């Protein structure tokens, strides 16, 4: 059951299944209480995405902040990526909550270039583009989406669900 928490598709969040949030509730409230730090970090990273997909953007933003704080708390013990990765779901959830200005501050444009794994940089660029769009800045949004497309192409991510819609905007 623990693996299903790590993927919003596995819990049906991408299809709006109402039982999705119940499957996320077994994630410990604090990383210090988790039997496995890395499993907690992955689950805490996916939970805000799932909540945002289910329309619970306020709870998603709170969860994303908690995940980032937890990741910073155990950074030296984490096998998963840099704590900055936790900013990706924060940008998404704040945008979905109608708070694009906060999303842009939370994402910090320079952070996109500092995220270690390139896939995380692709997603950050996508969500920063969305936040710019929602903030009424279509030209800046287009630049972020172009960056996401270029990054994804650089890792041969052609058939990705990220690239297809982003290509239309660039």
């Amino acid at each position: 059951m623990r693996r299903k928490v790590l993927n919003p598709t596995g819990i049906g969040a991408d299809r709006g299944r109402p039982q999705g949030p119940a499957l996320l509730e077994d994630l410990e409230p604090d990383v210090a209480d988790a039997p496995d730090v890395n499993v907690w970090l992955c689950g805490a990273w996916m939970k805000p995405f799932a909540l945002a997909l289910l329309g619970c953007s306020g709870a998603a933003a709170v969860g994303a902040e908690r995940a980032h704080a937890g990741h910073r708390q155990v950074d030296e013990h984490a096998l998963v990526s840099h704590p900055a990765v936790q900013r990706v779901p924060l940008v998404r959830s704040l945008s979905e909550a109608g708070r694009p200005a906060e999303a842009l501050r939370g994402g910090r444009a320079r952070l996109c270039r500092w995220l270690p794994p390139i896939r995380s940089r692709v997603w950050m660029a996508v969500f920063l583009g969305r936040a710019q769009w929602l903030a009424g800045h279509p030209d800046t949004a287009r630049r972020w989406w172009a960056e996401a497309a270029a990054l994804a192409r650089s890792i041969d991510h052609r058939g990705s669900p990220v690239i297809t819609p982003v290509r239309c905007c660039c």
Side-chain angles (χ1 to χ4, degrees):
M1 179 57 108
R2 195 66 167 171
R3 288 180 182 230
K4 286 187 144 198
V5 170
L6 304 182
N7 184 337
T9 302
I11 62 164
D14 61 329
R15 295 179 295 280
R17 284 183 24 207
Q19 63 271 34
L23 294 172
L24 295 169
E25 292 306 316
D26 71 339
L27 190 64
E28 292 80 6
D30 189 79
V31 67
D33 299 330
D36 185 321
V37 166
N38 295 298
V39 170
W40 187 92
L41 290 172
C42 290
W45 189 79
M46 291 308 302
K47 187 173 182 175
F49 282 118
L51 289 170
L53 284 169
L54 292 166
C56 304
S57 51
V62 170
E65 283 286 4
R66 194 183 83 211
H68 185 254
H71 202 140
R72 282 194 331 259
Q73 179 182 340
V74 297
D75 185 35
E76 68 275 359
H77 303 293
L79 297 176
V80 296
S81 200
H82 189 274
V85 169
Q86 301 290 358
R87 289 296 187 186
V88 176
L90 178 65
V91 169
R92 163 78 192 268
S93 56
L94 287 172
S95 294
E96 297 300 317
R99 296 158 43 196
E102 287 179 65
L104 293 168
R105 278 194 305 275
R108 296 189 188 105
R110 65 186 184 278
L111 186 61
C112 186
R113 288 168 182 76
W114 292 349
L115 284 171
I118 198 161
R119 282 184 172 84
S120 295
R121 289 171 46 203
V122 170
W123 284 108
M124 180 63 93
V126 167
F127 295 133
L128 284 170
R130 179 163 170 72
Q132 289 287 0
W133 181 267
L134 293 171
H137 308 290
D139 291 339
T140 308
R142 185 180 180 279
R143 284 193 291 275
W144 277 114
W145 290 330
E147 180 164 338
L151 286 167
R153 277 193 297 272
S154 77
I155 56 171
D156 198 27
H157 213 19
R158 278 180 243 142
S160 157
V162 175
I163 291 309
T164 304
V166 168
R167 248 187 288 194
C168 298
C169 301
C170 299

